Amino acid sequence: MPNQLHPFDSIQDYEITLAAKLIKDGYNPADNVHFVLIDRLEPPKRDTLKYLEAEKAGKPLPEVPRTAYAYFYTKQKHLHKALVNLTYKHVITTTTLPHGTVGPLLPEDVIECESWCMEHPLVQAEVEKLQLPPGYVVRTDPWMYGTDSEHEDRFLIQYYMYLVGSNGHEESNHYSLPLKFAPVFEAFTKKFVRIDFLPGGVDEKVTATLPWKEVLPVEYHYKLHGEKPRDLKPLLYVQPEGVSYEIEGSKVKWQGWEFRVSSNNREGMVIYDASFKGRSVLYRLSLSEMTVPYGDPRVPFHRKQAFDLGDCGFGSSANSLALGCDCLGVIKYLDCLRCDGEGNPVLIPSTICMHEQDDGLLYKHVNYRTFDSTQARRREFVLQTIATVANYEYILNIVFDQIGQISIKAKATGILSTMPIDEGLDVPWGTNVGPGVMAAYHQHLLSFRIDPAVDGHNNTVVYDDAVPMAIDPVLNPYGIGFVSERTVVEKAGYIEQSPFTNRAVKIINESVINPTTRKPVAYKIDTSARQMMIAHPTSFNSRRAKYATQQMWVVPYKDNQLWAAGEFTNQSQTDTGLAEWVKGEAPVRNTDLVVFATMSLTHLPRAEDFPVMPTDNLPEINIIPYGFFEKNPGLDVPQSDNKGKNSMYYEESKKQSTAQNSDCCKKASL
Amino acid sequence: MPNQLHPFDSIQDYEITLAAKLIKDGYNPADNVHFVLIDRLEPPKRDTLKYLEAEKAGKPLPEVPRTAYAYFYTKQKHLHKALVNLTYKHVITTTTLPHGTVGPLLPEDVIECESWCMEHPLVQAEVEKLQLPPGYVVRTDPWMYGTDSEHEDRFLIQYYMYLVGSNGHEESNHYSLPLKFAPVFEAFTKKFVRIDFLPGGVDEKVTATLPWKEVLPVEYHYKLHGEKPRDLKPLLYVQPEGVSYEIEGSKVKWQGWEFRVSSNNREGMVIYDASFKGRSVLYRLSLSEMTVPYGDPRVPFHRKQAFDLGDCGFGSSANSLALGCDCLGVIKYLDCLRCDGEGNPVLIPSTICMHEQDDGLLYKHVNYRTFDSTQARRREFVLQTIATVANYEYILNIVFDQIGQISIKAKATGILSTMPIDEGLDVPWGTNVGPGVMAAYHQHLLSFRIDPAVDGHNNTVVYDDAVPMAIDPVLNPYGIGFVSERTVVEKAGYIEQSPFTNRAVKIINESVINPTTRKPVAYKIDTSARQMMIAHPTSFNSRRAKYATQQMWVVPYKDNQLWAAGEFTNQSQTDTGLAEWVKGEAPVRNTDLVVFATMSLTHLPRAEDFPVMPTDNLPEINIIPYGFFEKNPGLDVPQSDNKGKNSMYYEESKKQSTAQNSDCCKKASL
């Protein structure tokens, strides 16, 4: 079986089993091997390129060995990383990671962590002091410990404590009732470290735990919020003749596009080898990292900085998407596989959904002399994955259109991470969202790794600014002229944002000249200007996520440089990703290069974001052909019409439903 | 009949007829009255507010007289403006506008203008010099004359000349074959002024007309482009139980929203008196002006600056939208009425379409302990209008969501305005888009007028910046804190863009405090930072559209201050709108105020934008409740599910279509 897999196919269940077995074979049972991750290792690009070439030419396919990487603990203490050759069934290397390196946690480890904490006598003693009225129980959310010391080398967990109202209902919104103490434990060893107390006033001051004064929770669950549902008529997406896409294994074909898609634990979903109308556009595209730093300055809230890929994994935290709920239409689902602590495969079904949708008009022109209208509707192909990272949900869409464009769209939803606030107060770094509950300002910074292949792998990044021409009595006598000025990015580094010159970052291929424009073919990486990481440059927040201090970066391609903040982000001291890769300012012109682009959302919560937050759009990243084609590549998209009867008049619909209703009445009166 | 109309209802056909009759009664036939516009005049706000109050209270409705305004020419020369009381059937005033004031043109006037030009012997003589091969004919696009002199007081028209290839086919893309001479005529008097010659090289130099060297046009029309249509399966929007909206006359009710919508000649569509869940949000919302300045510095291209509302009218240029083509689902259409030169009503059917659509998730949260998922889909109500302004199309959507948000979305499509370019050359202010054809850089600047009523009419505009806190050993020891700093806009003027402090402009009501947040209730006016007007501040382009030099403006409300660049934009010397209204810096705090927000698109054409341009999104303007509600107002939106069977699995769909296909085969083989 393994040799039938494509190098870009996701890890298989038997591959996880095999990797776990080979690794465990090297240890004694007393070593207590506990896996936290087993996944496919990205094959070296030079190997896959040979494979892809042979595949395109219909020649015999070279072997690209399947390789897994695994993180595991031994003796509840030491973190190791192993590489396993799955094709030849042997462990390639095992490395014990430097003391202080902290790996991700499995979902079931997190749940288990909750139990230790809640059962610990010191925690129970603190709960006692609350003198809770009947109908309230305590619940805890474990949090990654952030970083606030160069000398900390334990794997720590911070626990935020909440009350569950509504008679302890399992769906009650505990984020509505935050408590004012937060225990700290060592992970795995379960060692109690201390209890932090949380400020509830307008400054850093804390108090000992006092009896709790009852306030009612703000509930979001339909069983608990007590609101009568609105009347909303169903809206169906129907494709009576089937879909326009074809999917076989990881290979997707749609409207001129061909690409592969696979799932992995860390990035959730990855697009590979995307070409449009036979011309290559991207080698690989994925979410690379996300950090969520909070702006509440007070101890211990300063440690609230999550890395949702490195600490948790966007694939291992992915939702099982449901038909008609997360996605409408005719849907193809893909699964994600992760391991459990023993190294057994765990299936998370339907973590990626794929379908077509309509998005208004693709183009239109009406000839004002004849009133003839030329118009095509814009059909899209969407890949979606949604991850739940404790309180927050992230919705990620990668959208292909019919004319060579790829759009990356992300939305945040879920429940705000909350802090206690004393009655009658408010603070300048957060918003009161309910009685006794405040949501601190924070940011979401999602870095996307764009590994381009614009008509081949040797590409160059440039940026074009729109600048006014000087007034000139001959050439620009009326002072209205403006031109585009190009800057070539020669060395690895970041590109400054410049919205007021309409700065446009482009990936070009200097060897391929577009005969129409007489310029190198290009794809534009288009996004909006945004405030990046606000935290002080010397702060751990910034140092651990240097990638998030600038919007766009360019680096030369290197195998295994996938994750913007580095491989191990949990309790990291520093960004070992982009911060390292740009050192040395390697040349990036006319070479195999990678662009990292970050979506930033400075989120100052509003009352409407609670108890469950309406989806908040992050700025889109659009990958747009810009003089890549010689002309609009969508002239062959069929003209739109109502032949398929996809639409009807309101008045017609009214008559139908009235007719139906009167039929009902007749029957009832008989 | 008239007294049954709501003050916000569009003008009626009999009202146009009446206004024209009353005006013409004041003239002799020899005066040759030629109307260019008859439309409803916005009633004074103090009158409509009394009406709305009575309407809400169910009390007798006060009379708000229906009033029309009209622009017309006499003796092919003098422009007049009349106000007509339609209720009491009399002309209120007639004003002869100052010499040099130029009104808009009717669509049929434009077509007629083409004939004069083409038939003129001097133009024909110039065409002769081209020595056209068989299969080519000449076509002309009249253009507003822009402005380049303080001393020009004639109503002028500039004609850009093109060849029609494809054997003169009426749908052939003449924009692909621009000629190098451009006649100038006086409007109405049809007087020849001169012929301008167009540069085709890299500088301002022009040559006399030479024999034309044949190049083939780049065609966009499906009858001419010669491309085989792709296979694309239909995607239907079906609402088997009818729609969730109700429309009666101009009144729309949907998902807690109530508002009115009407059409007019200049703005296309207007939203009035919008409230959500019984609380007022907006008094009036509309597109106010759009200017399109071009960046080609060379004479005579410097005069390419269109004002698509003031010069043409977004309603009078609106498309008749078609079911299944411009809009999918169950659609309610509204019409627009304009006048002809005689003052007869002309119906433009279906210029506004309204319907529901799905837009992904409204919110979602998965309880990671129980895997229970709470989620609702986001339904939207869309109002759409599309205007064709010669070569370009503009798609305008006003979108209401289920939780109190209004989004304004605009897209540009259609055909680029082109210039000739000599073989083997390119210029720094434009892009070659085909053989011999260049599209100059330009901007689209659309100003929206937002007349708010956030819990009442006395509102205040503020902006909040997210700024880092200073490092402080006690309060901010780790340097990660940030706060929001509020600035109140006290005086009429503009607000500077500041994307790197996440500047958020809000309309607040200082008298209404949100009990959750303890802050005044607010709506945020959210958009992205953009480059505004690039032309030199002293240029006519900037002086005529001062509004377009800044993104956001605040002014006190005054009746009849609707149009951002002033009432008469055609050949205007200066912006008589916002530029005037902000003078004197009137106080705007806690008063009835108006916000103008401009979408800007600096459009550097790409090869893919020709021969017909894929829709290009302008930055959205979102009007978002921000601490207006005490919590998420969408908890009562029904949870999403697949009970209505709105979705199916890809594999299921495949089986169905295979089954259908094999059935077909069976039948065929019988």
Side-chain angles (χ1 to χ4, degrees):
Chain A
M1 272 273 280
N3 52 358
Q4 293 178 357
L5 292 174
H6 191 280
F8 297 148
D9 283 347
S10 312
I11 198 159
Q12 309 291 307
D13 50 3
Y14 58 84
E15 291 181 322
I16 292 178
T17 308
L18 174 65
K21 189 193 169 301
L22 292 171
I23 291 165
K24 282 208 270 191
D25 283 352
Y27 291 90
N28 295 320
D31 292 326
N32 204 357
V33 171
H34 180 86
F35 290 98
V36 290
L37 189 136
I38 301 176
D39 208 345
R40 183 177 65 99
L41 186 78
E42 203 64 29
K45 203 184 213 178
R46 62 168 188 282
D47 294 352
T48 56
L49 288 186
K50 278 181 205 151
Y51 186 98
L52 296 178
E53 266 170 43
E55 193 181 34
K56 269 156 208 166
K59 290 192 181 150
L61 298 171
E63 185 181 79
V64 181
R66 298 276 294 179
T67 312
Y69 74 107
Y71 301 145
F72 56 98
Y73 285 87
T74 53
K75 299 179 176 165
Q76 301 213 331
K77 204 168 166 186
H78 305 295
L79 178 62
H80 311 271
K81 177 180 179 177
L83 301 183
V84 179
N85 185 321
L86 298 164
T87 308
Y88 294 102
K89 301 188 172 58
H90 64 87
V91 174
I92 304 166
T93 59
T94 304
T95 320
T96 302
L97 291 154
H99 190 62
T101 309
V102 170
L105 274 181
L106 289 174
E108 49 271 28
D109 290 342
V110 173
I111 298 281
E112 213 196 306
C113 287
E114 293 178 17
S115 326
W116 321 329
C117 168
M118 296 293 283
E119 286 160 13
H120 197 280
L122 288 172
V123 174
Q124 290 190 344
E126 213 58 35
V127 170
E128 279 299 308
K129 295 180 193 165
L130 295 168
Q131 299 173 25
L132 291 180
Y136 291 87
V137 298
V138 177
R139 193 181 282 163
T140 186
D141 267 24
W143 254 76
M144 303 301 160
Y145 187 77
T147 300
D148 58 7
S149 160
E150 268 116 23
H151 311 296
E152 184 58 74
D153 60 2
R154 295 168 295 181
F155 185 167
L156 298 177
I157 299 180
Q158 172 97 37
Y159 292 81
Y160 286 102
M161 311 294 288
Y162 304 89
L163 284 185
V164 182
S166 300
N167 282 313
H169 193 289
E170 60 181 0
E171 302 304 338
S172 179
N173 179 19
H174 60 281
Y175 299 106
S176 180
L177 302 176
L179 292 172
K180 292 166 85 172
F181 63 94
V184 178
F185 281 82
E186 256 188 62
F188 296 117
T189 66
K190 310 176 187 179
K191 216 180 274 178
F192 174 85
V193 177
R194 68 173 185 277
I195 290 182
D196 287 335
F197 291 92
L198 308 185
V202 294
D203 56 26
E204 76 295 343
K205 295 195 186 80
V206 297
T207 53
T209 302
L210 295 169
W212 182 67
K213 216 177 123 188
E214 184 168 7
V215 287
L216 292 175
V218 185
E219 298 288 11
Y220 70 91
H221 198 274
Y222 68 96
K223 289 182 185 163
L224 300 173
H225 64 53
E227 302 201 28
K228 191 175 155 256
R230 297 184 197 178
D231 185 31
L232 186 71
K233 306 290 186 218
L235 178 67
L236 318 186
Y237 281 21
V238 182
Q239 297 200 265
E241 297 176 26
V243 296
S244 313
Y245 62 87
E246 249 180 88
I247 302 180
E248 229 184 284
S250 58
K251 182 72 180 261
V252 180
K253 290 185 190 179
W254 178 79
Q255 290 290 297
W257 282 104
E258 296 198 22
F259 60 89
R260 287 186 183 266
V261 55
S262 73
S263 62
N264 72 43
N265 283 239
R266 183 153 178 159
E267 297 161 296
M269 68 176 163
V270 184
I271 304 295
Y272 289 101
D273 191 27
S275 64
F276 183 72
K277 291 200 169 185
R279 287 170 65 191
S280 74
V281 175
L282 292 178
Y283 175 73
R284 191 182 191 278
L285 173 66
S286 69
L287 175 59
S288 165
E289 189 53 270
M290 156 163 32
T291 189
V292 187
Y294 282 75
D296 191 325
R298 302 170 301 177
V299 174
F301 298 129
H302 68 284
R303 281 198 305 267
K304 283 184 113 168
Q305 180 184 24
F307 286 85
D308 290 337
L309 271 68
D311 295 358
C312 310
F314 217 70
S316 19
S317 308
N319 293 184
S320 287
L321 305 177
L323 211 56
C325 300
D326 299 291
C327 19
L328 301 190
V330 179
I331 319 288
K332 171 66 187 174
Y333 289 101
L334 290 185
D335 307 326
C336 185
L337 277 171
R338 64 172 180 89
C339 70
D340 67 11
E342 300 294 309
N344 302 308
V346 177
L347 179 75
I348 318 175
S350 304
T351 57
I352 301 171
C353 69
M354 296 187 266
H355 64 278
E356 289 179 273
Q357 65 191 25
D358 175 274
D359 181 44
L361 287 164
L362 180 67
Y363 56 76
K364 177 171 189 178
H365 182 59
V366 177
N367 182 339
Y368 72 82
R369 295 174 179 91
T370 63
F371 293 104
D372 180 281
S373 177
T374 296
Q375 64 192 96
R377 289 195 71 84
R378 182 183 153 99
R379 185 73 62 86
E380 296 181 332
F381 185 79
V382 185
L383 296 101
Q384 177 173 256
T385 191
I386 304 179
T388 294
V389 189
N391 54 301
Y392 254 115
E393 264 72 19
Y394 297 97
I395 302 173
L396 173 59
N397 280 204
I398 297 181
V399 182
F400 291 79
D401 80 358
Q402 293 163 297
I403 49 171
Q405 179 169 325
I406 302 173
S407 300
I408 311 173
K409 302 181 188 198
K411 297 177 188 207
T413 179
I415 305 188
L416 292 164
S417 183
T418 55
M419 283 81 164
I421 182 103
D422 297 341
E423 212 183 321
L425 299 180
D426 48 65
V427 289
W429 47 74
T431 306
N432 293 356
V433 293
V437 55
M438 181 270 285
Y441 300 161
H442 58 278
Q443 297 185 286
H444 303 267
L445 298 134
L446 284 72
S447 174
F448 290 85
R449 183 178 178 280
I450 303 165
D451 183 349
V454 176
D455 264 345
H457 296 276
N458 282 344
N459 290 164
T460 298
V461 173
V462 299
Y463 52 88
D464 292 334
D465 292 290
V467 294
M469 294 172 73
I471 296 179
D472 174 281
V474 177
L475 189 57
N476 184 27
Y478 293 93
I480 58 92
F482 66 92
V483 295
S484 181
E485 276 179 8
R486 175 157 290 188
T487 307
V488 176
V489 178
E490 301 278 358
K491 298 174 196 166
Y494 64 82
I495 298 170
E496 197 111 26
Q497 297 184 65
S498 180
F500 305 127
T501 61
N502 194 50
R503 181 164 293 175
V505 175
K506 290 169 191 161
I507 300 170
I508 69 171
N509 188 325
E510 297 191 67
S511 316
V512 184
I513 303 301
N514 184 318
T516 300
T517 62
R518 299 162 40 93
K519 303 280 159 66
V521 295
Y523 257 80
K524 181 175 167 188
I525 310 295
D526 190 53
T527 189
S528 298
R530 282 296 185 278
Q531 184 177 38
M532 303 305 291
M533 173 76 78
I534 302 175
H536 200 276
T538 63
S539 68
F540 278 108
N541 283 9
S542 287
R543 283 153 59 193
R544 298 174 71 204
K546 180 122 192 245
Y547 83 84
T549 62
Q550 297 290 339
Q551 189 177 54
M552 206 99 69
W553 302 76
V554 188
V555 289
Y557 174 86
K558 281 201 183 138
D559 284 336
N560 302 318
Q561 291 191 347
L562 294 177
W563 306 312
E567 185 169 6
F568 296 101
T569 56
N570 199 349
Q571 287 179 232
S572 64
Q573 296 285 337
T574 164
D575 178 332
T576 57
L578 273 171
E580 290 298 319
W581 307 333
V582 296
K583 283 182 183 164
E585 302 184 332
V588 290
R589 185 168 185 167
N590 201 15
T591 184
D592 190 5
L593 58 84
V594 177
V595 174
F596 287 80
T598 294
M599 291 179 181
S600 170
L601 175 66
T602 299
H603 185 192
L604 282 56
R606 49 182 189 143
E608 291 85 351
D609 289 341
F610 203 70
V612 63
M613 178 178 149
T615 47
D616 199 353
N617 296 332
L618 284 105
E620 288 180 19
I621 297 172
N622 290 299
I623 305 173
I624 306 173
Y626 207 99
F628 183 72
F629 300 102
E630 290 176 43
K631 61 176 180 176
N632 183 341
L635 297 178
D636 56 351
V637 173
Q639 296 294 297
S640 57
D641 59 49
N642 201 28
K643 276 182 202 150
K645 295 260 166 65
N646 42 7
S647 299
M648 73 192 299
Y649 292 105
Y650 171 67
E651 291 76 5
E652 219 180 314
S653 154
K654 274 280 196 196
K655 263 184 226 158
Q656 282 192 4
S657 38
T658 317
Q660 278 171 11
N661 287 341
S662 53
D663 277 1
C664 292
C665 295
K666 271 180 208 164
K667 278 173 205 160
S669 63
L670 279 178
Chain B
M1 273 274 280
N3 51 358
Q4 295 179 356
L5 291 174
H6 191 279
F8 296 148
D9 283 346
S10 312
I11 197 159
Q12 308 292 308
D13 49 4
Y14 57 84
E15 292 181 322
I16 292 177
T17 307
L18 174 64
K21 189 193 171 300
L22 292 171
I23 292 165
K24 282 208 270 191
D25 283 352
Y27 291 90
N28 294 319
D31 291 326
N32 204 357
V33 170
H34 180 85
F35 291 98
V36 290
L37 188 136
I38 301 175
D39 208 345
R40 184 178 65 97
L41 186 78
E42 202 64 29
K45 202 183 211 178
R46 61 167 190 283
D47 296 351
T48 56
L49 288 187
K50 279 181 204 151
Y51 186 99
L52 297 178
E53 266 169 42
E55 193 181 32
K56 269 156 208 166
K59 290 191 180 149
L61 298 171
E63 185 180 80
V64 181
R66 300 275 295 178
T67 312
Y69 74 107
Y71 300 145
F72 56 97
Y73 284 87
T74 53
K75 297 179 178 165
Q76 302 214 330
K77 203 168 167 185
H78 304 296
L79 178 63
H80 312 271
K81 177 181 179 178
L83 302 184
V84 179
N85 185 320
L86 298 164
T87 307
Y88 295 101
K89 301 189 173 57
H90 64 87
V91 174
I92 305 165
T93 58
T94 305
T95 320
T96 302
L97 292 154
H99 191 62
T101 310
V102 171
L105 274 182
L106 290 174
E108 49 271 28
D109 290 343
V110 173
I111 298 282
E112 213 195 308
C113 287
E114 292 178 16
S115 324
W116 321 329
C117 168
M118 296 293 282
E119 285 160 13
H120 197 281
L122 288 172
V123 175
Q124 291 191 344
E126 212 58 34
V127 170
E128 280 297 309
K129 294 180 192 164
L130 296 168
Q131 300 174 24
L132 291 179
Y136 291 87
V137 297
V138 177
R139 193 181 282 163
T140 185
D141 267 24
W143 255 77
M144 301 303 161
Y145 188 76
T147 300
D148 58 6
S149 162
E150 269 118 23
H151 310 296
E152 183 58 73
D153 60 2
R154 295 167 295 181
F155 185 168
L156 298 177
I157 299 180
Q158 170 96 40
Y159 292 82
Y160 286 101
M161 309 295 287
Y162 304 89
L163 283 186
V164 183
S166 300
N167 281 313
H169 194 287
E170 58 180 3
E171 302 305 337
S172 178
N173 180 19
H174 59 281
Y175 300 107
S176 181
L177 302 176
L179 292 173
K180 292 166 84 175
F181 63 94
V184 178
F185 280 81
E186 258 190 60
F188 295 117
T189 65
K190 311 178 187 178
K191 216 180 273 176
F192 174 85
V193 175
R194 69 172 184 276
I195 290 181
D196 286 335
F197 292 90
L198 308 185
V202 294
D203 56 27
E204 77 295 344
K205 294 196 187 76
V206 297
T207 52
T209 303
L210 296 169
W212 182 66
K213 218 178 122 189
E214 184 167 8
V215 287
L216 290 176
V218 185
E219 298 288 10
Y220 69 92
H221 198 275
Y222 68 95
K223 289 182 187 163
L224 300 173
H225 63 53
E227 301 201 29
K228 194 177 151 254
R230 297 183 198 179
D231 186 31
L232 186 70
K233 306 291 187 215
L235 177 67
L236 317 187
Y237 281 23
V238 182
Q239 297 201 264
E241 298 177 25
V243 297
S244 312
Y245 62 86
E246 249 180 88
I247 302 179
E248 231 185 280
S250 59
K251 182 72 182 261
V252 180
K253 290 184 188 179
W254 178 79
Q255 291 287 300
W257 281 104
E258 296 197 23
F259 60 89
R260 288 186 183 266
V261 55
S262 72
S263 61
N264 71 42
N265 283 239
R266 183 153 176 158
E267 297 161 297
M269 69 177 163
V270 183
I271 305 294
Y272 289 101
D273 191 26
S275 64
F276 182 72
K277 290 200 168 184
R279 288 169 66 191
S280 73
V281 176
L282 291 178
Y283 176 73
R284 191 181 192 279
L285 173 65
S286 69
L287 175 59
S288 165
E289 189 53 271
M290 157 165 29
T291 190
V292 187
Y294 282 74
D296 190 326
R298 302 169 300 178
V299 175
F301 298 130
H302 69 284
R303 280 198 305 266
K304 283 185 113 168
Q305 178 183 26
F307 286 83
D308 289 337
L309 270 68
D311 294 358
C312 309
F314 216 69
S316 18
S317 309
N319 293 183
S320 288
L321 304 176
L323 212 56
C325 299
D326 298 290
C327 19
L328 300 191
V330 179
I331 318 288
K332 171 67 186 172
Y333 289 101
L334 291 185
D335 306 328
C336 184
L337 277 171
R338 63 172 180 89
C339 70
D340 67 11
E342 300 294 309
N344 302 308
V346 177
L347 178 75
I348 318 175
S350 304
T351 57
I352 301 173
C353 69
M354 296 188 267
H355 65 278
E356 290 180 272
Q357 64 190 26
D358 176 274
D359 181 45
L361 287 163
L362 180 67
Y363 56 76
K364 176 170 190 177
H365 182 58
V366 176
N367 182 338
Y368 73 83
R369 296 174 179 89
T370 64
F371 293 104
D372 180 280
S373 176
T374 296
Q375 65 192 93
R377 288 195 73 84
R378 181 183 154 99
R379 184 74 61 88
E380 296 180 332
F381 185 79
V382 185
L383 296 101
Q384 177 173 257
T385 191
I386 304 179
T388 295
V389 189
N391 54 300
Y392 254 115
E393 265 71 19
Y394 297 96
I395 302 173
L396 173 59
N397 279 205
I398 296 182
V399 182
F400 291 79
D401 81 357
Q402 292 164 298
I403 49 170
Q405 179 170 326
I406 302 173
S407 300
I408 311 172
K409 301 181 189 199
K411 297 177 188 208
T413 179
I415 305 188
L416 293 164
S417 183
T418 54
M419 282 82 163
I421 181 103
D422 297 340
E423 211 183 322
L425 299 180
D426 49 65
V427 288
W429 48 74
T431 306
N432 293 358
V433 292
V437 56
M438 181 270 285
Y441 301 162
H442 58 278
Q443 298 186 284
H444 303 267
L445 297 134
L446 284 70
S447 174
F448 289 85
R449 183 178 177 279
I450 304 166
D451 183 349
V454 175
D455 264 346
H457 296 275
N458 283 344
N459 290 165
T460 298
V461 173
V462 299
Y463 52 88
D464 293 333
D465 292 289
V467 293
M469 295 172 72
I471 297 180
D472 174 283
V474 177
L475 188 58
N476 185 28
Y478 293 93
I480 60 90
F482 67 90
V483 295
S484 181
E485 275 178 10
R486 175 157 290 189
T487 307
V488 176
V489 177
E490 301 278 358
K491 298 174 196 165
Y494 64 83
I495 297 170
E496 197 111 25
Q497 298 184 63
S498 180
F500 305 128
T501 61
N502 196 50
R503 180 162 295 174
V505 175
K506 290 169 190 161
I507 300 169
I508 69 171
N509 187 325
E510 296 191 68
S511 316
V512 184
I513 303 301
N514 185 317
T516 300
T517 61
R518 300 161 39 92
K519 302 280 159 68
V521 295
Y523 258 81
K524 181 175 166 189
I525 310 296
D526 190 52
T527 189
S528 298
R530 282 296 185 279
Q531 183 178 39
M532 303 304 292
M533 174 76 79
I534 302 175
H536 199 277
T538 62
S539 68
F540 278 107
N541 283 9
S542 287
R543 283 154 59 192
R544 299 174 70 203
K546 180 120 191 248
Y547 83 85
T549 62
Q550 296 291 339
Q551 190 177 52
M552 207 101 66
W553 301 77
V554 188
V555 290
Y557 174 85
K558 282 203 181 134
D559 285 336
N560 301 319
Q561 290 191 348
L562 294 176
W563 306 312
E567 185 169 6
F568 296 101
T569 55
N570 199 348
Q571 287 179 229
S572 64
Q573 296 285 337
T574 164
D575 179 333
T576 58
L578 274 171
E580 289 299 319
W581 307 332
V582 296
K583 282 181 184 166
E585 300 183 334
V588 290
R589 185 169 184 166
N590 201 15
T591 185
D592 190 5
L593 58 82
V594 177
V595 174
F596 287 80
T598 294
M599 292 178 181
S600 170
L601 174 66
T602 299
H603 185 193
L604 282 58
R606 49 182 189 142
E608 291 84 352
D609 289 341
F610 204 70
V612 62
M613 180 179 148
T615 48
D616 199 352
N617 294 333
L618 284 104
E620 287 180 19
I621 297 173
N622 290 298
I623 305 173
I624 307 172
Y626 207 99
F628 184 73
F629 300 103
E630 291 177 43
K631 61 178 179 175
N632 183 340
L635 296 178
D636 57 351
V637 174
Q639 296 294 296
S640 57
D641 58 48
N642 201 28
K643 276 183 201 149
K645 295 261 166 65
N646 43 6
S647 299
M648 72 192 299
Y649 291 105
Y650 171 67
E651 291 78 2
E652 218 179 313
S653 153
K654 274 280 196 196
K655 264 185 226 156
Q656 282 192 1
S657 37
T658 317
Q660 279 172 9
N661 287 342
S662 53
D663 277 2
C664 293
C665 295
K666 270 181 209 163
K667 278 175 204 161
S669 63
L670 280 176

